Amino acid sequence: MPPPADIVKVAIEWPGAFPKLMEIDQKKPLSAIIKEVCEGWSLGNHENFALQNGDSTNFYITEKNRNDIKNGSILRLTTSPSQTAAQLHERIQSSSMDAKLEALKDLANASRDITFAQEFINLDGISLLTQMVESGTERYQKLQKIMKPCFGDLLSFTLTAFVELMDHGIVSWDTFSVAFIKKIASYVNKSAMDTAVLQRSLAILESMVLNSQDLYQKVAQEITIGQLIPHLQGTDQDVQTYTIAVINALFLKAPEEKRQVRSLYSIHTLYSTHFVCIMAGSTEQLSAGAHLIIIHNVIRSNKPINDEMAHQLYVLQVLTFNLLEDRMMTKMDPQDQAQRDIIFELRRIAFDVECEPNNSGSIEKRKSMYTRDYKKLGFINHVNPAVDFTQIPPGMLALDNMLYFARHHQDAYIRIVLENSSREDKHECPFGRSSIELTKMLCEILKVGELPSENCHDFHPMFFTHDRSFEEFFCICIQLLNKTWKEMRATSEDFNKVMQVVREQIMRALTLKPNSLDQFKSRLQNLSYTEILKIRQSERMNQEDFQSRPIMELREKIQPEIMELIKQQRLNRLCEGTCFRKISSRRRQDKFWYCRLSPNHKVLHYGDLEESPQGEVPHDSLQDKLPVADIKAVVTGKDCPHMKEKGALKQNKEVLELAFSVLYESDEYLNFIAPDNFVHVGMLLYCSYCVWTDGLNALLGKEMTSDYTKSDMDTLLSMEMKLRLLDLENIQIPEAPPPIPKEPSNYDFVYDCN
């Protein structure tokens, strides 16, 4: 007979004694269980004791989390959170350097537990740490020359404990003094600082900026981009990641008037990296573009880019392009002479027209000449082309791009304009209209004006290779548009068709992740209109080839075999296991846990990890088990228990799309948030969420519903069908089977073997 569901069998450790095996009744109060354990070892004052997880987390067992205890768990009897907090509060104030260092190390480790953190904060522990940072370490700074490693560790553990305590969201960030901010900023501004101290300091500054508008103002006064940029030139990727995160945070929290600073400058003189100087309240011009430092020291470094760095680069890319939003949403004022002068400049460069004197010809003659030239330039409104730029988006951004192209790629600009203005066969490509629509399209592709996604890592290295990357991107694409127009022999009626082809060419080239703008241009050369037609035809044939009845019957026959193959593929990947994140309010403070399926497909093994593993984690190092037979259901998205909790990750859309839970027994569940990356399954790449939800559904005998399963089914079925039909190539397959012939009148033709 199985044990009652409320009884959990565990082992409990106590220093200097043999572990004790006992059964915990989950219906009993936790205090009664602790009292029973203490009495077993003849320990008095049981109220001063508590139970901890015996794994590396050392988290306390409380009434809230006690249901997470599983059969076979190892627990540890230890001092209560309040006692431990009081002891550490006293120890970190020790006059002994060694004792203080050891206490701070223990505090940094214990502060990860919210139960302990609450007790330590109640003792005004945060204020004590800030005081130590502001002034308490001053007396040790004289010893830095002879005790530099010790001093670095002391400060590092202090800041680590502070970060862990603040990570729980118990204390408001608005409570910190200017002196504390100045001290943290000073650690970032120093040219030589311990790496761990620098990492924690940058993390604190980022949190301050993101969590308080008032602190943003104070941090912006203390930190300049000129002092942050050198940290990107180092070799430590974590420091580089924190540095870019601080830059991103400063921009995200910048007041609206500073975000729109680009509109206050001439679009033709403002470099995309200049915004970071302004966002931080600084006016210094960087000696070298930040984009060059990022491309050489981060993107093209010898170290692979991890997920967090990829996310921060993506955020920086989005924020940089969002600087275009103001110009994109600004209509041209037809009465503004300065704006009209830009159109005159386009005309002058294209046709090499000198400024006519005021008395040269009549007004009507000059208007006629302007109208003729504006028509050649491809504007919709030939009389007053300023009206063309009143559409938002793209607004003034289109005119900015046109002028940049005319000035920086003058030969290509003149060639396009003159080539099309001299044609009389109605096949001319209107440069003005094309530029406006292309700018609008590029803004849609790059999602200009949208806030960055929380879990996206999709950055394009080529946009970090030039300080005017968007303008150069436009210049490449407008030449592509003109080339495609000629290849399609398009007329004005085909304008929308040409734009659709150009969008497809750009999107296909971007999916290849070119490392530079030149490489992007080269990829476009291989995506001519003819090639696009071939790709479309191939894709269409793959969809329409096998629609006859006999082929459909063959498909239905072999489909179960293919589905079984896909199922085994998914289960094999589950057997390899995946590292999941326990996402908290701070991205880079996430904790890790690992889950994998046993080779016999009967048990899920899982357990917590201190850090992201390099490769597979063996079964024997994972403490917890869940028999597959006990699994009742797999739920996703908003149906997950951890997504129903109040304020769970603010119901972030991206997190919801990655959440799934395994339900078992009565009210038990195992919660997952899949990593937002791709994993290898054989030679192919799949998202972890789809692999796990498919695999778990396969274990339960349910349908695998992910898009990847559908795609795999279509691909493998198509391949199998083509292989089986190779011998029938160019042979007409009838829609119906041939009729069965009549029986012969005699069987004289039959050979009697006897």
Side-chain angles (χ1 to χ4, degrees):
M1 181 176 177
D6 295 321
I7 302 298
V8 182
K9 295 182 178 181
V10 300
I12 301 180
E13 299 176 332
W14 172 252
F18 288 107
K20 180 180 294 185
L21 299 177
M22 67 176 296
E23 295 183 349
I24 291 180
D25 186 350
Q26 293 286 32
K27 292 181 179 179
K28 282 186 178 181
L30 187 59
S31 58
I33 295 173
I34 294 173
K35 180 179 180 182
E36 181 182 343
V37 174
C38 290
E39 288 175 349
W41 273 306
S42 302
L43 299 174
N45 300 322
H46 67 274
E47 63 274 4
N48 293 333
F49 292 90
L51 292 175
Q52 276 182 330
N53 284 304
D55 56 21
S56 58
T57 63
N58 294 327
F59 287 172
Y60 282 99
I61 304 298
T62 64
E63 292 290 354
K64 291 182 179 180
N65 64 23
R66 61 182 296 179
N67 289 327
D68 293 337
I69 303 175
K70 309 298 179 186
N71 280 319
S73 296
I74 299 176
L75 306 182
R76 182 183 301 114
L77 184 66
T78 185
T79 54
S80 67
S82 57
Q83 286 277 72
T84 305
Q87 293 170 4
L88 284 175
H89 191 275
E90 181 179 353
R91 288 171 57 199
I92 62 175
Q93 301 179 71
S94 171
S95 58
S96 168
M97 190 72 149
D98 292 336
K100 180 188 287 285
L101 180 62
E102 194 63 30
L104 286 169
K105 183 177 180 180
D106 292 342
L107 177 62
N109 184 55
S111 296
R112 295 179 298 166
D113 183 8
I114 191 171
T115 307
F116 168 85
Q118 184 68 67
E119 296 292 341
F120 189 79
I121 290 171
N122 290 341
L123 296 174
D124 212 14
I126 293 286
S127 296
L128 177 59
L129 292 179
T130 55
Q131 291 171 12
M132 292 173 62
V133 172
E134 290 175 23
S135 58
T137 56
E138 294 289 345
R139 57 193 172 124
Y140 301 110
Q141 293 188 15
K142 296 179 181 179
L143 303 176
Q144 283 189 59
K145 292 184 179 179
I146 58 174
M147 301 182 67
K148 187 172 182 179
C150 184
F151 173 76
D153 290 342
L154 184 76
L155 186 55
S156 172
F157 289 130
T158 303
L159 296 179
T160 301
F162 175 84
V163 169
E164 294 288 356
L165 291 169
M166 292 301 299
D167 189 33
H168 298 297
I170 300 172
V171 178
S172 170
W173 284 92
D174 287 310
T175 59
F176 297 106
S177 66
V178 175
F180 179 72
I181 297 171
K182 287 180 177 290
K183 182 62 68 173
I184 297 297
S186 70
Y187 300 142
V188 174
N189 292 336
K190 286 182 180 179
S191 57
M193 177 54 67
D194 181 83
T195 300
V197 173
L198 181 57
Q199 289 180 9
R200 307 303 186 278
S201 300
L202 288 166
I204 292 171
L205 292 178
E206 182 199 6
S207 294
M208 286 179 173
V209 172
L210 291 177
N211 288 283
S212 170
Q213 188 63 34
D214 182 53
L215 287 183
Y216 157 78
Q217 300 288 350
K218 296 175 181 177
V219 171
Q221 293 173 3
E222 300 297 328
I223 295 293
T224 65
I225 300 304
Q227 292 161 324
L228 287 173
I229 292 299
H231 298 314
L232 295 175
Q233 297 173 297
T235 57
D236 190 289
Q237 190 172 109
D238 288 334
V239 171
Q240 293 173 330
T241 303
Y242 283 113
T243 301
I244 297 177
V246 173
I247 293 174
N248 290 337
L250 286 168
F251 180 54
L252 275 171
K253 289 298 180 178
E256 192 64 27
E257 62 272 15
K258 285 191 175 182
R259 275 192 209 173
Q260 295 181 355
V261 70
R262 186 163 182 150
S263 63
L264 303 178
Y265 292 80
S266 167
I267 196 73
H268 317 296
T269 59
L270 183 64
Y271 285 81
S272 59
T273 51
H274 189 215
F275 84 90
V276 288
C277 305
I278 299 164
M279 292 309 111
S282 169
T283 58
E284 82 272 15
Q285 184 69 42
L286 301 182
S287 57
H291 65 284
L292 294 177
I293 296 173
I294 291 174
I295 197 70
H296 290 303
N297 296 83
V298 179
I299 297 176
R300 294 179 181 171
S301 69
N302 296 327
K303 297 180 180 178
I305 295 177
N306 57 36
D307 286 348
E308 183 58 29
M309 173 60 84
H311 172 73
Q312 294 300 339
L313 289 172
Y314 154 77
V315 173
L316 182 58
Q317 172 185 294
V318 171
L319 297 180
T320 303
F321 285 137
N322 280 358
L323 289 173
L324 304 167
E325 183 182 12
D326 182 59
R327 297 291 287 179
M328 181 182 74
M329 302 305 294
T330 299
K331 294 182 179 181
M332 184 172 184
D333 182 1
Q335 306 304 319
D336 189 321
Q337 187 58 44
Q339 295 179 356
R340 291 168 63 87
D341 286 344
I342 300 178
I343 298 178
F344 293 151
E345 178 73 359
L346 291 173
R347 173 176 171 266
R348 184 194 66 77
I349 296 174
F351 305 115
D352 197 22
V353 179
E354 298 295 336
C355 295
E356 302 89 350
N358 293 334
N359 57 355
S360 62
S362 64
I363 295 177
E364 290 75 14
K365 183 179 178 181
R366 277 184 284 142
K367 283 185 177 180
S368 176
M369 184 171 55
Y370 290 161
T371 300
R372 181 198 64 199
D373 290 346
Y374 293 149
K375 182 178 181 180
K376 290 181 178 180
L377 281 168
F379 290 113
I380 298 174
N381 192 315
H382 306 154
V383 177
N384 185 9
V387 177
D388 289 11
F389 300 98
T390 57
Q391 173 193 353
I392 54 172
M396 288 295 293
L397 184 60
L399 186 58
D400 297 334
N401 283 338
M402 294 168 68
L403 184 59
Y404 181 90
F405 181 50
R407 285 180 170 174
H408 294 81
H409 300 271
Q410 193 171 114
D411 291 343
Y413 166 71
I414 294 173
R415 184 179 66 254
I416 288 176
V417 173
L418 296 184
E419 181 181 273
N420 289 285
S421 64
S422 62
R423 301 188 68 166
E424 297 180 357
D425 55 3
K426 296 184 180 181
H427 289 285
E428 65 274 4
C429 177
F431 173 73
R433 181 185 177 190
S434 299
S435 297
I436 292 170
E437 292 301 320
L438 178 63
T439 300
K440 182 180 178 181
M441 179 199 294
L442 297 183
C443 289
E444 291 172 356
I445 291 173
L446 298 177
K447 300 180 180 179
V448 174
E450 296 185 19
L451 288 176
S453 168
E454 179 66 21
N455 291 294
C456 186
H457 309 95
D458 186 25
F459 76 97
H460 295 278
M462 73 177 192
F463 291 127
F464 292 89
T465 61
H466 200 283
D467 52 14
R468 304 290 293 273
S469 59
F470 183 80
E471 291 88 341
E472 288 293 327
F473 186 43
F474 168 84
C475 293
I476 294 172
C477 293
I478 192 63
Q479 294 177 75
L480 168 72
L481 191 153
N482 185 68
K483 174 175 173 286
T484 303
W485 185 284
K486 290 189 293 184
E487 292 173 347
M488 294 177 66
R489 293 192 55 79
T491 63
S492 57
E493 289 79 10
D494 303 317
F495 187 88
N496 291 334
K497 293 180 181 178
V498 175
M499 295 304 295
Q500 290 174 3
V501 174
V502 170
R503 175 187 282 270
E504 185 174 348
Q505 290 171 314
I506 294 171
M507 293 300 294
R508 289 185 184 277
L510 285 177
T511 56
L512 299 174
K513 297 290 183 184
N515 290 320
S516 66
L517 290 165
D518 287 338
Q519 193 175 96
F520 172 71
K521 189 174 182 179
S522 176
R523 298 275 166 81
L524 289 176
Q525 294 295 327
N526 299 324
L527 288 170
S528 63
Y529 176 59
T530 303
E531 186 63 27
I532 291 294
L533 287 180
K534 290 180 181 178
I535 294 172
R536 287 180 174 179
Q537 184 179 9
S538 175
E539 292 175 348
R540 192 182 305 115
M541 289 182 65
N542 286 335
Q543 295 174 358
E544 299 175 357
D545 265 356
F546 310 120
Q547 300 300 321
S548 64
R549 181 182 170 186
I551 303 299
M552 295 297 292
E553 291 177 355
L554 179 60
R555 285 173 64 92
E556 292 176 3
K557 180 179 179 180
I558 64 177
Q559 189 166 337
E561 303 173 19
I562 302 298
M563 185 57 73
E564 182 63 25
L565 178 63
I566 296 172
K567 173 183 174 181
Q568 291 303 320
Q569 186 190 48
R570 299 293 192 269
L571 294 178
N572 289 342
R573 184 60 187 82
L574 262 61
C575 291
E576 295 176 14
T578 300
C579 178
F580 297 92
R581 289 179 179 237
K582 293 183 176 180
I583 297 182
S584 64
S585 59
R586 291 184 48 80
R587 289 179 53 84
R588 291 185 308 286
Q589 297 298 321
D590 295 348
K591 308 301 184 291
F592 299 95
W593 66 291
Y594 201 87
C595 186
R596 64 181 299 179
L597 179 66
S598 63
N600 61 8
H601 301 171
K602 292 185 177 181
V603 179
L604 284 176
H605 298 264
Y606 62 96
D608 293 332
L609 303 175
E610 293 185 1
E611 58 184 6
S612 181
Q614 302 297 322
E616 295 183 20
V617 176
H619 294 92
D620 52 12
S621 65
L622 301 174
Q623 304 90 349
D624 301 308
K625 299 179 182 179
L626 172 60
V628 172
D630 292 347
I631 298 178
K632 305 301 181 185
V634 177
V635 295
T636 60
K638 293 182 179 180
D639 296 328
C640 297
H642 56 318
M643 293 293 103
K644 292 180 179 179
E645 297 172 2
K646 182 179 179 181
L649 302 173
K650 299 181 180 180
Q651 294 294 332
N652 184 282
K653 180 182 177 183
E654 290 78 10
V655 174
L656 279 174
E657 292 175 349
L658 297 172
F660 61 97
S661 298
V662 172
L663 308 184
Y664 59 98
E665 294 182 357
S666 53
D667 297 322
E668 300 292 328
Y669 47 81
L670 189 61
N671 293 324
F672 298 77
I673 295 179
D676 185 19
N677 61 5
F678 291 83
V679 295
H680 283 278
V681 180
M683 297 296 292
L684 302 176
L685 285 174
Y686 297 81
C687 73
S688 299
Y689 173 84
C690 293
V691 169
W692 273 88
T693 52
D694 278 348
L696 291 171
N697 281 321
L699 284 174
L700 300 181
K702 296 183 178 180
E703 183 181 359
M704 298 184 290
T705 58
S706 76
D707 291 338
Y708 283 94
T709 296
K710 183 179 182 301
S711 175
D712 285 351
M713 175 60 71
D714 293 341
T715 301
L716 294 173
L717 263 178
S718 176
M719 186 181 301
E720 183 68 17
M721 293 290 291
K722 289 178 180 178
L723 289 172
R724 294 197 182 195
L725 297 174
L726 277 177
D727 293 338
L728 297 178
E729 190 173 357
N730 298 323
I731 296 177
Q732 184 73 25
I733 300 176
E735 287 295 325
I740 300 175
K742 294 180 180 180
E743 291 187 9
S745 58
N746 61 70
Y747 293 90
D748 294 343
F749 57 87
V750 176
Y751 179 75
D752 189 355
C753 296
N754 298 324

